[in-house]
Amino acid sequence: MQTLEPRTRLWTREEYYRLAEDGYFQDQRVERIGGEILNMSPQLNQHYAGISAAAEALAKVFTGPYWIRTQAPLYLGEDSDPEPDVAVVKGTRKDFQDHPATALLIVEVSGTTLNFDRGRKASLYAHAGIKDYWILNLNDRALEVRRKPVQDAAQPFGWRYAEAAVLDAAQRVSPLALPKAKIAVADLLP
């Protein structure tokens, strides 16, 4: 007799959004990553304050045709619709009929999900070609800047960031898309 291991059921984009339209995820925070529907942890005030602080700081430098999106899906291929805490997209909301498929910069505000954001999410964003990925580390009050996506078969999505730096609250950071802009890390922190 042949033995079979249980398998995870992967959800298509169409199925995922149909479930959402039918109210299946009502009052839940979920994301579809690698075809799996993940329940995300409840949002604490410090987390949301970090999202607000980051969005406000980025809006000061990304003026003009940029859309600062908070907790909104990105369409990163047929199997993933993550909802980064902050994403900077080239263009305005009127330029999009569907969720954007890329971003100039993604910021995840992270406390309880730090390992997930450093691991699986970083690999997903690197695989999608996101060149500038920041993790606002609430535990250490620091900004982790990840850049230069490279292939790495050992990673969940086959990609990782070759460059990583940790900046403290006293330092400044420049987005790759606006290298002359200087943002105080303290302004990103709640």
Side-chain angles (χ1 to χ4, degrees):
M1 174 182 273
Q2 182 182 12
T3 60
L4 298 173
E5 292 293 318
R7 293 184 303 165
T8 301
R9 195 244 198 246
L10 302 179
W11 298 87
T12 67
R13 185 172 198 237
E14 181 180 304
E15 292 169 329
Y16 176 64
Y17 283 103
R18 188 174 332 118
L19 287 170
E21 287 173 6
D22 291 346
Y24 185 78
F25 306 123
Q26 190 169 355
D27 300 323
Q28 297 180 58
R29 293 185 63 231
V30 296
E31 292 184 35
R32 191 173 68 97
I33 308 287
E36 298 176 330
I37 299 173
L38 306 177
N39 282 313
M40 304 307 287
S41 61
Q43 193 166 169
L44 302 174
N45 184 60
Q46 185 183 28
H47 182 263
Y48 193 75
I51 294 169
S52 294
E56 289 168 11
L58 292 170
K60 289 178 184 175
V61 297
F62 282 97
T63 59
Y66 298 103
W67 189 12
I68 311 296
R69 296 168 47 96
T70 57
Q71 297 187 315
L74 287 177
Y75 173 59
L76 299 185
E78 285 302 314
D79 64 351
S80 295
D81 297 272
E83 296 184 18
D85 290 322
V86 183
V88 178
V89 177
K90 187 163 182 60
T92 69
R93 63 180 170 77
K94 293 180 181 181
D95 295 326
F96 296 91
Q97 299 299 314
D98 196 355
H99 298 304
T102 191
L104 298 172
L105 169 66
I106 289 179
V107 180
E108 290 288 359
V109 178
S110 191
T112 59
T113 60
L114 193 54
N115 289 335
F116 181 70
D117 293 334
R118 285 175 174 162
R120 197 161 179 207
K121 274 252 179 119
S123 182
L124 173 67
Y125 294 148
H127 178 262
I130 305 298
K131 291 178 175 43
D132 213 1
Y133 173 46
W134 300 356
I135 300 171
L136 193 57
N137 180 334
L138 298 176
N139 300 334
D140 298 325
R141 295 197 47 79
L143 180 67
E144 300 180 14
V145 177
R146 296 170 188 272
R147 294 176 170 159
K148 197 172 181 187
V150 295
Q151 288 186 312
D152 183 343
Q155 297 301 310
F157 291 94
W159 288 76
R160 66 175 170 81
Y161 288 95
E163 296 177 2
V166 178
L167 308 176
D168 64 34
Q171 293 179 284
R172 294 182 167 277
V173 63
S174 296
L176 286 177
L178 296 175
K180 293 182 181 178
K182 302 288 185 209
I183 302 169
V185 172
D187 290 345
L188 298 167
L189 292 165

